Amino acid sequence: MEGAAVLGRLNWHVAEVADVWPETDRVKTLALDVEGWPGHRAGQHVDVRLTADDGYQAQRSYSIASPDGGPRVELTVERIDDGEVSPYLTGDAHAGDRFELRGPVGGYFVWDPDPGGPVLLVGGGSGVVPLMAMVRQRTANHDEVPTKLLYSARSWEDVIYRDELGRYGKRGDGLEVVFTLTREQPPDWTGFGRRVDRELLSQVAPPDLSLTLVCGPTPFVEAVAEALVGLGHEPSRIKTERFGPTGG
Amino acid sequence: MEALRLDGNAAAGLLSEVFAGEVTTAVGTCDSCGAVEAVGAIHVYMAAGTVLRCPHCEAVVMKVVTDGERIWMDLRGLRTLELAS
Amino acid sequence: MPIISRGFKGRRRDDAPRDRVPPGQYVTDDFPVLSAGPTPHTPLDQWDFTIVGEVDERRRWTWDELRALPSETITVDISCVTKWTKLDTVWEGVSVDTLLDGVETSAEYLTVFCDGGYTTNLPLADVTGGQAWIAFAYDGEPLEPEHGGPARLLVPHLYFWKSAKWVRGLRLTATDELGFWESNGYHNYGDPWKEQRYWGD
Ligand SMILES: Cc1cc2nc3c(=O)[nH]c(=O)nc-3n(C[C@H](O)[C@H](O)[C@H](O)COP(=O)(O)OP(=O)(O)OC[C@H]3O[C@@H](n4cnc5c(N)ncnc54)[C@H](O)[C@@H]3O)c2cc1C
Ligand SMILES: [Zn+2]
């Protein structure tokens, strides 16, 4: 087992659930105490490994929702009904429960405080999670880069971090939050009410955009990236983080 | 539309078992078409093992398999990999 | 010893008859989709199936020709090396015996080749004698592209990576040539009952 010890050397940490709170009907945030956490960059993720009492294991990736420097590492997880790991994390896990984490990893899809021009963040569903870490990091650091967050959710009830995002948009610090609700809009809704497409992006994306970060279910990310390229944005200035298969 | 496609970032945890430094910002050259891309921009598919494919020509640039104690890497599709030292 | 996550069970059935589940496997009712690359979409009028390599004469069937061959309904258990086993899966396909009928060869091995470039290798003896099929239907429906449609190899007595999706033909070979996974850590033969997952198992 010497080999296993060497392979595992840097990466796996024990995480203990310190607190859990609901964000929406289907989404919860888990605040974790992680032994030996080295700090992270906003946008990075961890691999979560769950082990059953008979040794069965399952592993999935989750983005870190909290900015660096906070007391705890927060993950925000959407429940996939027939899923294996997300129903456990959003249903069974309580304060005191423990599992393993590998990370932080993924330095490619991270907040860049100085990309040379405005930044557009485009999130679909739980794809807002790493983008929220970036928004929080930007605020904590008082970064000045003009930033727009375009967030697509099914309905207002499905918007994660609703209250916090509402506050961010009103601070006059160069951060703007734009919502589109694809299935159901409140009666007095003045935001967008359809899927993110080329026309919507042409209205939202600043012309002198220097970096776009797109995150969400794979079909969402592919559609947004394609539309951006279609609008003439340079592919090398579009970074994507696909969360995997889903219809949402 | 490829429903099972992920980004290079999704393989970052696995690759961190192999590479000491940050690997998703390392830059690889595809041996098939010569395209140069950051590992984070390469396509990832999770099957029996993890397969990284060139986002331009879909050729396999890396195959990674692990049994928990050993890791096998097939790098034939990668002409070079430039990492920060 | 890894940390146990209290209450975590995973998505598994625990009522499965033990004698039907190979060691280290867990029974699932789902049909997980694993893919080593993008899903190919070869139009059926451009699709063919060939037997090449160490053969007296190359054989080729168009889609319609393959479908006109006698086919069988097969009910089998399948085991993926990623640890899921699915019981009583129902397939329809053409036996590889039917395709090899009349082919003269001195080959002892074969490489299965596919749209998208995937390959896997097997002893010829493992695809003959009613052990392997070119399957084009699952559960009474045409095989979906995500599961390997229009056609995949079905060799249920070996780990499922040998049952290559999007199959286009067999190359018969005198020597054993390692396939896509067999060349990079996965076991050359892959018998689930002997838990032959990785090199050296
Ligand atoms: C880099 C990265 C970061 C991620 N960050 C987050 C995050 O911050 N928050 C979060 O909630 N999720 C995140 N995900 C997705 C997460 O890893 C899991 O895929 C998701 O939680 C489903 O796992 P499961 O075990 O519950 O479902 P599974 O058992 O894996 O799948 C069950 C069923 O749901 C489908 N399915 C699989 N994944 C998804 C998905 N993402 N959406 C919808 N359906 C799916 C499958 O096809 C299957 O039919 C991230 C993924 C990646 C690659
Ligand atoms: Zn290429």
Side-chain angles (χ1 to χ4, degrees), chain C residues 136-175:
Chain C
F136 47 76
Y138 172 76
D139 233 358
E141 302 287 335
L143 188 58
E144 285 179 37
E146 61 172 12
H147 286 303
R152 79 183 295 163
L153 184 68
L154 178 66
V155 211
H157 70 291
L158 300 176
Y159 280 126
F160 214 45
W161 87 76
K162 298 279 185 184
S163 294
K165 301 205 277 194
W166 311 307
V167 67
R168 291 293 300 273
L170 312 177
R171 183 165 50 251
L172 274 53
T173 57
T175 55

Short mmCIF file of all heavy atoms in Angstrom, two decimals, chain C residues 136-175:
data_model
loop_
_atom_site.label_atom_id
_atom_site.label_comp_id
_atom_site.label_asym_id
_atom_site.label_seq_id
_atom_site.Cartn_x
_atom_site.Cartn_y
_atom_site.Cartn_z
N PHE C 136 -28.27 -4.64 -32.54
CA PHE C 136 -28.82 -3.41 -33.10
C PHE C 136 -30.12 -2.99 -32.40
O PHE C 136 -30.72 -1.99 -32.76
CB PHE C 136 -29.06 -3.55 -34.61
CG PHE C 136 -29.76 -4.84 -34.99
CD1 PHE C 136 -31.10 -5.00 -34.78
CD2 PHE C 136 -29.02 -5.89 -35.53
CE1 PHE C 136 -31.74 -6.18 -35.10
CE2 PHE C 136 -29.66 -7.09 -35.85
CZ PHE C 136 -31.02 -7.23 -35.63
N ALA C 137 -30.55 -3.77 -31.40
CA ALA C 137 -31.74 -3.38 -30.66
C ALA C 137 -31.55 -3.71 -29.19
O ALA C 137 -30.85 -4.68 -28.84
CB ALA C 137 -32.98 -4.10 -31.20
N TYR C 138 -32.12 -2.86 -28.34
CA TYR C 138 -32.06 -3.06 -26.90
C TYR C 138 -33.46 -2.86 -26.35
O TYR C 138 -34.11 -1.86 -26.66
CB TYR C 138 -31.08 -2.07 -26.25
CG TYR C 138 -31.13 -2.10 -24.74
CD1 TYR C 138 -30.52 -3.15 -24.06
CD2 TYR C 138 -31.81 -1.14 -24.02
CE1 TYR C 138 -30.59 -3.22 -22.68
CE2 TYR C 138 -31.89 -1.20 -22.63
CZ TYR C 138 -31.27 -2.25 -21.97
OH TYR C 138 -31.35 -2.32 -20.62
N ASP C 139 -33.93 -3.83 -25.55
CA ASP C 139 -35.25 -3.71 -24.95
C ASP C 139 -36.34 -3.48 -26.00
O ASP C 139 -37.28 -2.72 -25.77
CB ASP C 139 -35.25 -2.53 -23.96
CG ASP C 139 -35.76 -3.00 -22.59
OD1 ASP C 139 -36.12 -4.18 -22.47
OD2 ASP C 139 -35.80 -2.16 -21.67
N GLY C 140 -36.18 -4.12 -27.13
CA GLY C 140 -37.21 -4.05 -28.17
C GLY C 140 -37.18 -2.80 -29.02
O GLY C 140 -38.03 -2.63 -29.89
N GLU C 141 -36.22 -1.91 -28.77
CA GLU C 141 -36.14 -0.66 -29.54
C GLU C 141 -34.80 -0.60 -30.27
O GLU C 141 -33.82 -1.17 -29.79
CB GLU C 141 -36.22 0.56 -28.60
CG GLU C 141 -37.46 0.63 -27.74
CD GLU C 141 -38.70 1.01 -28.54
OE1 GLU C 141 -38.54 1.67 -29.60
OE2 GLU C 141 -39.81 0.65 -28.12
N PRO C 142 -34.76 0.13 -31.39
CA PRO C 142 -33.46 0.32 -32.05
C PRO C 142 -32.45 0.87 -31.04
O PRO C 142 -32.79 1.71 -30.21
CB PRO C 142 -33.76 1.35 -33.14
CG PRO C 142 -35.23 1.23 -33.40
CD PRO C 142 -35.85 0.82 -32.09
N LEU C 143 -31.25 0.39 -31.12
CA LEU C 143 -30.21 0.80 -30.16
C LEU C 143 -29.94 2.29 -30.30
O LEU C 143 -29.62 2.79 -31.37
CB LEU C 143 -28.94 -0.01 -30.44
CG LEU C 143 -27.80 0.11 -29.44
CD1 LEU C 143 -28.24 -0.30 -28.04
CD2 LEU C 143 -26.63 -0.76 -29.89
N GLU C 144 -30.05 3.01 -29.18
CA GLU C 144 -29.85 4.46 -29.22
C GLU C 144 -28.37 4.79 -29.43
O GLU C 144 -27.51 4.07 -28.94
CB GLU C 144 -30.31 5.08 -27.90
CG GLU C 144 -31.81 5.14 -27.80
CD GLU C 144 -32.24 5.74 -26.46
OE1 GLU C 144 -31.54 6.66 -26.01
OE2 GLU C 144 -33.24 5.27 -25.91
N PRO C 145 -28.11 5.90 -30.14
CA PRO C 145 -26.71 6.29 -30.38
C PRO C 145 -25.89 6.34 -29.09
O PRO C 145 -24.74 5.90 -29.07
CB PRO C 145 -26.83 7.67 -31.01
CG PRO C 145 -28.18 7.68 -31.66
CD PRO C 145 -29.05 6.80 -30.80
N GLU C 146 -26.46 6.84 -28.00
CA GLU C 146 -25.66 6.95 -26.76
C GLU C 146 -25.26 5.58 -26.21
O GLU C 146 -24.28 5.46 -25.49
CB GLU C 146 -26.41 7.75 -25.69
CG GLU C 146 -27.72 7.13 -25.26
CD GLU C 146 -28.35 7.84 -24.07
OE1 GLU C 146 -27.90 8.94 -23.73
OE2 GLU C 146 -29.30 7.28 -23.49
N HIS C 147 -26.00 4.55 -26.57
CA HIS C 147 -25.65 3.19 -26.15
C HIS C 147 -24.92 2.41 -27.24
O HIS C 147 -24.75 1.20 -27.13
CB HIS C 147 -26.89 2.43 -25.70
CG HIS C 147 -27.41 2.87 -24.35
ND1 HIS C 147 -26.62 2.84 -23.22
CD2 HIS C 147 -28.60 3.37 -23.97
CE1 HIS C 147 -27.33 3.31 -22.19
NE2 HIS C 147 -28.52 3.64 -22.63
N GLY C 148 -24.54 3.10 -28.32
CA GLY C 148 -23.72 2.45 -29.34
C GLY C 148 -24.40 2.25 -30.68
O GLY C 148 -23.82 1.66 -31.58
N GLY C 149 -25.64 2.72 -30.80
CA GLY C 149 -26.37 2.55 -32.05
C GLY C 149 -25.71 3.30 -33.20
O GLY C 149 -25.04 4.29 -32.96
N PRO C 150 -25.87 2.81 -34.43
CA PRO C 150 -26.83 1.78 -34.83
C PRO C 150 -26.50 0.36 -34.37
O PRO C 150 -27.40 -0.43 -34.21
CB PRO C 150 -26.80 1.86 -36.37
CG PRO C 150 -25.47 2.44 -36.71
CD PRO C 150 -25.14 3.39 -35.60
N ALA C 151 -25.20 0.05 -34.14
CA ALA C 151 -24.89 -1.32 -33.75
C ALA C 151 -23.66 -1.35 -32.87
O ALA C 151 -22.73 -0.57 -33.04
CB ALA C 151 -24.65 -2.18 -34.99
N ARG C 152 -23.68 -2.24 -31.88
CA ARG C 152 -22.51 -2.44 -31.04
C ARG C 152 -22.22 -3.93 -30.95
O ARG C 152 -23.10 -4.76 -31.15
CB ARG C 152 -22.72 -1.86 -29.65
CG ARG C 152 -23.56 -2.74 -28.73
CD ARG C 152 -23.81 -2.08 -27.38
NE ARG C 152 -22.58 -1.90 -26.61
CZ ARG C 152 -22.47 -1.07 -25.56
NH1 ARG C 152 -23.51 -0.36 -25.16
NH2 ARG C 152 -21.34 -0.98 -24.90
N LEU C 153 -20.97 -4.24 -30.61
CA LEU C 153 -20.64 -5.62 -30.30
C LEU C 153 -21.23 -5.95 -28.93
O LEU C 153 -21.29 -5.08 -28.06
CB LEU C 153 -19.11 -5.79 -30.28
CG LEU C 153 -18.61 -7.21 -30.06
CD1 LEU C 153 -18.94 -8.09 -31.26
CD2 LEU C 153 -17.10 -7.22 -29.79
N LEU C 154 -21.67 -7.16 -28.74
CA LEU C 154 -22.14 -7.62 -27.43
C LEU C 154 -21.38 -8.90 -27.09
O LEU C 154 -21.53 -9.91 -27.77
CB LEU C 154 -23.66 -7.87 -27.48
CG LEU C 154 -24.29 -8.41 -26.19
CD1 LEU C 154 -24.21 -7.38 -25.06
CD2 LEU C 154 -25.76 -8.81 -26.44
N VAL C 155 -20.49 -8.80 -26.09
CA VAL C 155 -19.74 -9.98 -25.60
C VAL C 155 -19.95 -10.02 -24.11
O VAL C 155 -19.10 -9.60 -23.32
CB VAL C 155 -18.21 -9.85 -25.83
CG1 VAL C 155 -17.57 -11.21 -26.05
CG2 VAL C 155 -17.86 -8.89 -26.93
N PRO C 156 -21.10 -10.51 -23.66
CA PRO C 156 -21.48 -10.33 -22.26
C PRO C 156 -20.62 -11.07 -21.24
O PRO C 156 -20.66 -10.73 -20.06
CB PRO C 156 -22.93 -10.84 -22.22
CG PRO C 156 -23.08 -11.68 -23.43
CD PRO C 156 -22.15 -11.16 -24.46
N HIS C 157 -19.82 -12.05 -21.66
CA HIS C 157 -19.03 -12.78 -20.65
C HIS C 157 -17.75 -12.03 -20.28
O HIS C 157 -17.02 -12.46 -19.40
CB HIS C 157 -18.72 -14.21 -21.10
CG HIS C 157 -17.75 -14.32 -22.24
ND1 HIS C 157 -18.05 -13.93 -23.53
CD2 HIS C 157 -16.47 -14.77 -22.28
CE1 HIS C 157 -17.00 -14.16 -24.31
NE2 HIS C 157 -16.03 -14.67 -23.58
N LEU C 158 -17.48 -10.90 -20.92
CA LEU C 158 -16.32 -10.08 -20.57
C LEU C 158 -16.80 -8.70 -20.12
O LEU C 158 -17.93 -8.31 -20.40
CB LEU C 158 -15.38 -9.95 -21.77
CG LEU C 158 -14.83 -11.29 -22.30
CD1 LEU C 158 -13.99 -11.06 -23.56
CD2 LEU C 158 -14.00 -12.01 -21.24
N TYR C 159 -15.92 -7.95 -19.41
CA TYR C 159 -16.29 -6.58 -19.01
C TYR C 159 -16.77 -5.82 -20.24
O TYR C 159 -16.30 -6.02 -21.36
CB TYR C 159 -15.09 -5.86 -18.37
CG TYR C 159 -14.85 -6.22 -16.93
CD1 TYR C 159 -13.60 -6.68 -16.52
CD2 TYR C 159 -15.85 -6.09 -15.97
CE1 TYR C 159 -13.35 -6.99 -15.18
CE2 TYR C 159 -15.61 -6.40 -14.63
CZ TYR C 159 -14.36 -6.85 -14.25
OH TYR C 159 -14.12 -7.17 -12.93
N PHE C 160 -17.66 -4.89 -19.97
CA PHE C 160 -18.44 -4.29 -21.06
C PHE C 160 -17.63 -3.38 -21.98
O PHE C 160 -18.11 -2.99 -23.03
CB PHE C 160 -19.63 -3.53 -20.45
CG PHE C 160 -20.86 -3.57 -21.32
CD1 PHE C 160 -21.28 -4.75 -21.92
CD2 PHE C 160 -21.61 -2.43 -21.53
CE1 PHE C 160 -22.43 -4.79 -22.72
CE2 PHE C 160 -22.74 -2.44 -22.32
CZ PHE C 160 -23.16 -3.62 -22.92
N TRP C 161 -16.39 -2.98 -21.59
CA TRP C 161 -15.62 -2.16 -22.53
C TRP C 161 -15.27 -2.98 -23.78
O TRP C 161 -14.96 -2.41 -24.82
CB TRP C 161 -14.37 -1.56 -21.87
CG TRP C 161 -13.14 -2.42 -21.87
CD1 TRP C 161 -12.31 -2.66 -22.94
CD2 TRP C 161 -12.59 -3.15 -20.77
NE1 TRP C 161 -11.29 -3.48 -22.56
CE2 TRP C 161 -11.43 -3.80 -21.24
CE3 TRP C 161 -12.96 -3.31 -19.43
CZ2 TRP C 161 -10.64 -4.61 -20.42
CZ3 TRP C 161 -12.16 -4.10 -18.62
CH2 TRP C 161 -11.03 -4.75 -19.10
N LYS C 162 -15.34 -4.33 -23.68
CA LYS C 162 -15.11 -5.18 -24.85
C LYS C 162 -16.30 -5.15 -25.81
O LYS C 162 -16.18 -5.48 -26.97
CB LYS C 162 -14.86 -6.62 -24.40
CG LYS C 162 -13.64 -6.83 -23.53
CD LYS C 162 -12.37 -6.91 -24.35
CE LYS C 162 -11.17 -7.26 -23.45
NZ LYS C 162 -9.91 -7.25 -24.24
N SER C 163 -17.47 -4.79 -25.30
CA SER C 163 -18.68 -4.73 -26.13
C SER C 163 -18.73 -3.37 -26.83
O SER C 163 -19.53 -2.50 -26.48
CB SER C 163 -19.93 -4.95 -25.27
OG SER C 163 -19.95 -6.26 -24.75
N ALA C 164 -17.86 -3.20 -27.80
CA ALA C 164 -17.59 -1.90 -28.39
C ALA C 164 -18.82 -1.25 -29.03
O ALA C 164 -19.53 -1.88 -29.81
CB ALA C 164 -16.49 -2.03 -29.43
N LYS C 165 -19.05 0.02 -28.67
CA LYS C 165 -20.13 0.81 -29.27
C LYS C 165 -19.74 1.23 -30.69
O LYS C 165 -18.57 1.32 -31.02
CB LYS C 165 -20.38 2.07 -28.43
CG LYS C 165 -20.75 1.77 -26.99
CD LYS C 165 -21.56 2.90 -26.36
CE LYS C 165 -20.74 4.03 -25.84
NZ LYS C 165 -21.57 4.92 -24.95
N TRP C 166 -20.76 1.52 -31.50
CA TRP C 166 -20.57 2.06 -32.86
C TRP C 166 -19.65 1.17 -33.70
O TRP C 166 -18.82 1.64 -34.47
CB TRP C 166 -20.03 3.50 -32.79
CG TRP C 166 -20.83 4.34 -31.85
CD1 TRP C 166 -22.18 4.51 -31.86
CD2 TRP C 166 -20.35 5.10 -30.73
NE1 TRP C 166 -22.56 5.34 -30.83
CE2 TRP C 166 -21.46 5.71 -30.12
CE3 TRP C 166 -19.08 5.32 -30.19
CZ2 TRP C 166 -21.34 6.53 -29.00
CZ3 TRP C 166 -18.96 6.14 -29.08
CH2 TRP C 166 -20.09 6.73 -28.48
N VAL C 167 -19.81 -0.14 -33.54
CA VAL C 167 -18.91 -1.09 -34.20
C VAL C 167 -19.07 -1.03 -35.72
O VAL C 167 -20.16 -0.84 -36.24
CB VAL C 167 -19.17 -2.51 -33.65
CG1 VAL C 167 -20.55 -3.02 -34.06
CG2 VAL C 167 -18.08 -3.48 -34.08
N ARG C 168 -17.94 -1.15 -36.42
CA ARG C 168 -17.95 -1.16 -37.88
C ARG C 168 -17.27 -2.38 -38.47
O ARG C 168 -17.35 -2.60 -39.69
CB ARG C 168 -17.29 0.11 -38.42
CG ARG C 168 -18.09 1.38 -38.17
CD ARG C 168 -19.40 1.39 -38.96
NE ARG C 168 -19.14 1.31 -40.37
CZ ARG C 168 -18.90 2.37 -41.16
NH1 ARG C 168 -18.90 3.57 -40.65
NH2 ARG C 168 -18.66 2.22 -42.44
N GLY C 169 -16.56 -3.16 -37.64
CA GLY C 169 -15.98 -4.35 -38.24
C GLY C 169 -14.98 -5.05 -37.34
O GLY C 169 -14.69 -4.60 -36.21
N LEU C 170 -14.51 -6.17 -37.84
CA LEU C 170 -13.54 -6.99 -37.13
C LEU C 170 -12.30 -7.14 -38.01
O LEU C 170 -12.42 -7.39 -39.21
CB LEU C 170 -14.12 -8.39 -36.85
CG LEU C 170 -15.53 -8.47 -36.26
CD1 LEU C 170 -15.95 -9.95 -36.14
CD2 LEU C 170 -15.58 -7.79 -34.90
N ARG C 171 -11.14 -6.93 -37.40
CA ARG C 171 -9.88 -7.19 -38.11
C ARG C 171 -9.24 -8.40 -37.46
O ARG C 171 -8.84 -8.36 -36.30
CB ARG C 171 -8.96 -5.97 -38.05
CG ARG C 171 -7.66 -6.17 -38.85
CD ARG C 171 -6.90 -4.87 -39.09
NE ARG C 171 -6.72 -4.11 -37.88
CZ ARG C 171 -7.35 -2.96 -37.60
NH1 ARG C 171 -8.19 -2.43 -38.48
NH2 ARG C 171 -7.14 -2.36 -36.46
N LEU C 172 -9.17 -9.49 -38.23
CA LEU C 172 -8.60 -10.72 -37.69
C LEU C 172 -7.08 -10.65 -37.77
O LEU C 172 -6.53 -10.21 -38.79
CB LEU C 172 -9.15 -11.93 -38.46
CG LEU C 172 -10.49 -12.47 -37.94
CD1 LEU C 172 -11.54 -11.38 -37.84
CD2 LEU C 172 -10.99 -13.62 -38.80
N THR C 173 -6.42 -11.04 -36.68
CA THR C 173 -4.97 -10.86 -36.61
C THR C 173 -4.28 -12.12 -36.10
O THR C 173 -4.88 -12.90 -35.35
CB THR C 173 -4.60 -9.70 -35.65
OG1 THR C 173 -5.15 -9.97 -34.35
CG2 THR C 173 -5.14 -8.37 -36.14
N ALA C 174 -3.04 -12.31 -36.54
CA ALA C 174 -2.27 -13.48 -36.11
C ALA C 174 -1.78 -13.28 -34.67
O ALA C 174 -1.72 -14.23 -33.89
CB ALA C 174 -1.08 -13.70 -37.04
N THR C 175 -1.45 -12.03 -34.34
CA THR C 175 -0.96 -11.75 -32.98
C THR C 175 -1.97 -10.85 -32.28
O THR C 175 -2.79 -10.18 -32.91
CB THR C 175 0.40 -11.03 -33.03
OG1 THR C 175 0.25 -9.86 -33.83
CG2 THR C 175 1.48 -11.92 -33.62
#
